Structure formats: structure tokens, C-alpha cells
Amino acid sequence: MPSLRSKALSVALIAVGRRRRYAGAEAVRAKVAESARRPASHLPPRSLGRVAEVSRAFVGAWPVYDVSPRGVEPAAQVLYVHGGAYVGELLRPHWSLVRTLVTRARARVVVPAYILAPRGTADRTVPVAADLLSGLIESGGAGGTVLIGDCAGAGIALAAAQRLRERTGAQPSRIVLVSPWLDLSVSHPGQAAVEPGDPLLRRPGLVEAGRLYAGTLAADDPRVSPLHGDLAGLAPLTVFTGTRDLLTTDSHELLRRARDAGVEVEFHEAAGQPHGYPFQRVPEGRAARERIVALTRAVAAP
């Protein structure tokens, strides 16, 4: 059963109109137009600099942040790809997870502020993400490499891992996907039953956001929707989803297809939880974050 605090959170999300952000194509286009007029900041909060060394470089047009524990050698490496339906920028909850990984798992976390749709499309985004992942793995250093993505970032992360496997066969130590969006057609028949109880997401808006990210590619192209790609040979997967997340069908399809392909999958489904619950300050969210920290520590150098 969901905690009382998480139930209250879902009610509050509905009350403040959060799900209207993706209510329909017009809402998404309005968000994109507003972002073009007034681009949102992807800068990390200043408080992060008090506990971590933060630097920024550019990979092509992408600002890429490198966040490392202050005063000690990192024990592991993380490539973290943020969510936001491909049209949303890095937010404070994303940076909070980065801070947790740096301080609790002693990880070096690389955070790309990738180009958002419609300027950033799958054919351009996935190769750059694969290059970043490859570089992080090849750089060596202490411990292993964990690839983490949430929502749209999980789709980019999984597509990048697939592309890297095709190039060289290399893989990170583990892939962690939080509320992943992996099929941008948003056409699974089970979503109709979940949608009324989802306090955040609506299919029409997601379809439009997915269309903008797909660009000239078809929705079932693996670069757009990695659920349709080959899953064999991928690193062990950990997946977090909630029963009130419209996209939980993607997680269940991934579980089935990955296990059929011989991939190890650790699956966490939290009752009554919405999309992105591991970022929320509720007991279920804290438990998910603790597990992500533990998984990162597990690949760390002794």
C-alpha cells in the first residue's frame, strides 16, 4: 500500500494542475515556444559547490557538467541523463539526485544538458550520448560505471547503451532506469486503464513531445524508442516504476523482452506511485534513492 504521504502528494499534484503540462499537443507546443523565448537554466544549484567539485565542458553544442566528491578520489562513475519528456531542462530534483550520488556513493557524476526537442532529435542525440558513455567507460579510474536515466533520459540512456554495444560491445557495469519512457508511440493498450489515475501524464501531450524528438525518424526506430531495439548483450538493468505511472507499461514490456533476451533485470514496482516517484520526498522515493546509492556503491572500487 502507498504511504499516506505519497497519497497526499498525488492529490496535491492534481490540485496544482501538473498533468496539464502534457494534456495535449497544444500544451506541449506552448511549452516549447516559451522555452524558445525564455530558455530555462540548466545550471546546478550553488549549494552543490559546497560539497562537490563542479566543472563544465562542451561536447559539441552540449554543456556537460562533471561533478566529483570534494577532497577524495571518486569510487565509481555515473553518467546521468535527465528526464523532462525531451522538452524539459534539468531541474532541482535532478541535481538533488546528483548530490546524493556524489556524497553518499562517492561517485563522479557526468551530467549532459543535452539539446532539447525539437532542436535536439534522436538521430543527433543518441550518438553523442553513446560517445559520452564510451568515453566514461574507457577513461577507467576507480570502480565501474553506472548509466542512470529517468523518463526521457532513460530512453536516451538505453538507446545509447544499445548503440555502444553495436559499435564495440562495451557496456557500463549497470543501467538504472527510473520511470522510463521507451516507446514514444504511447500506444500500449494497457495505458488506457492507467491514465485516469496518473496525476502527471496524458497521452496526447506525450505523443506530441515524442513526435518532436523523433524528427524525421519513425516512432518505432530504436534510436527513438529503444524498447523496439535489440536488448541482448546489455548490462544488467534496474528499473523503477509506479502503478500510477502511465508509462509503467514500458517498464513491464522492458522486463519481459529483456529477460527473453537473457538480460538480468532487477525490477521495482511501487504500489500507488506516480511517474518519477524516486525523486519525491516520500518513503517510497527515499527507498528507491537508497537502492540507487547501493547499486552505485556495489560497482565502486574497494
Side-chain angles (χ1 to χ4, degrees):
M1 290 291 291
S3 65
L4 291 176
R5 188 164 184 176
S6 69
K7 289 180 180 178
L9 174 64
S10 290
V11 171
L13 290 172
I14 293 172
V16 299
R18 286 288 294 275
R19 62 184 171 190
R20 288 197 293 270
R21 293 182 181 181
Y22 301 105
E26 289 186 5
V28 171
R29 287 194 291 266
K31 176 177 175 56
V32 169
E34 177 63 22
S35 295
R37 288 192 299 270
R38 299 179 181 178
S41 173
H42 48 67
L43 292 172
R46 291 183 180 179
S47 59
L48 185 60
R50 293 198 286 268
V51 297
E53 300 286 349
V54 182
S55 62
R56 184 176 70 174
F58 283 84
V59 177
W62 290 18
V64 178
Y65 295 92
D66 196 320
V67 188
S68 294
R70 185 178 291 277
V72 296
E73 286 296 315
Q77 303 181 111
V78 171
L79 177 62
Y80 170 57
V81 190
H82 73 89
Y86 298 102
V87 297
E89 196 51 270
L90 279 154
L91 299 173
R92 277 191 171 270
H94 301 136
W95 286 115
S96 179
L97 177 61
V98 172
R99 180 189 180 110
T100 296
L101 291 167
V102 170
T103 59
R104 298 281 312 284
R106 220 178 86 206
R108 172 197 176 197
V109 187
V110 174
V111 187
Y114 56 86
I115 304 301
L116 302 176
R119 287 178 54 225
T121 50
D123 58 336
R124 300 173 181 176
T125 300
V126 173
V128 181
D131 288 345
L132 282 172
L133 178 60
S134 177
L136 202 57
I137 294 171
E138 291 175 1
S139 69
T145 299
V146 180
L147 174 60
I148 302 176
D150 71 276
C151 185
I156 295 171
L158 188 60
Q162 289 169 329
R163 186 176 181 92
L164 185 57
R165 178 208 55 208
E166 292 164 2
R167 284 183 190 170
T168 66
Q171 284 291 282
S173 305
R174 180 167 289 272
I175 302 169
V176 178
L177 306 178
V178 176
S179 302
W181 186 15
L182 307 175
D183 182 357
L184 271 61
S185 70
V186 199
S187 60
H188 192 284
Q191 291 173 336
V194 182
E195 186 172 23
D198 187 320
L200 292 172
L201 304 178
R202 288 294 177 266
R203 283 179 290 176
L206 291 178
V207 168
E208 177 65 8
R211 184 188 69 80
L212 295 175
Y213 176 67
T216 60
L217 300 178
D220 61 356
D221 187 298
R223 289 169 289 180
V224 176
S225 298
L227 191 61
H228 295 288
D230 183 7
L231 301 175
L234 293 179
L237 296 167
T238 297
V239 180
F240 294 90
T241 188
T243 60
R244 294 189 69 184
D245 182 355
L246 171 63
L247 299 176
T248 193
T249 52
D250 285 15
S251 294
H252 283 272
E253 283 294 313
L254 177 64
L255 173 66
R256 179 180 65 81
R257 298 184 192 192
R259 286 181 173 171
D260 286 348
V263 177
E264 174 191 328
V265 185
E266 176 186 312
F267 194 76
H268 300 271
E269 183 175 40
Q273 297 309 302
H275 184 76
Y277 80 89
F279 292 97
Q280 302 296 339
R281 295 182 178 181
V282 297
E284 296 86 350
R286 285 193 292 272
R289 293 192 296 275
E290 287 294 330
R291 184 57 188 155
I292 294 170
V293 167
L295 289 166
T296 305
R297 286 176 173 169
V299 308

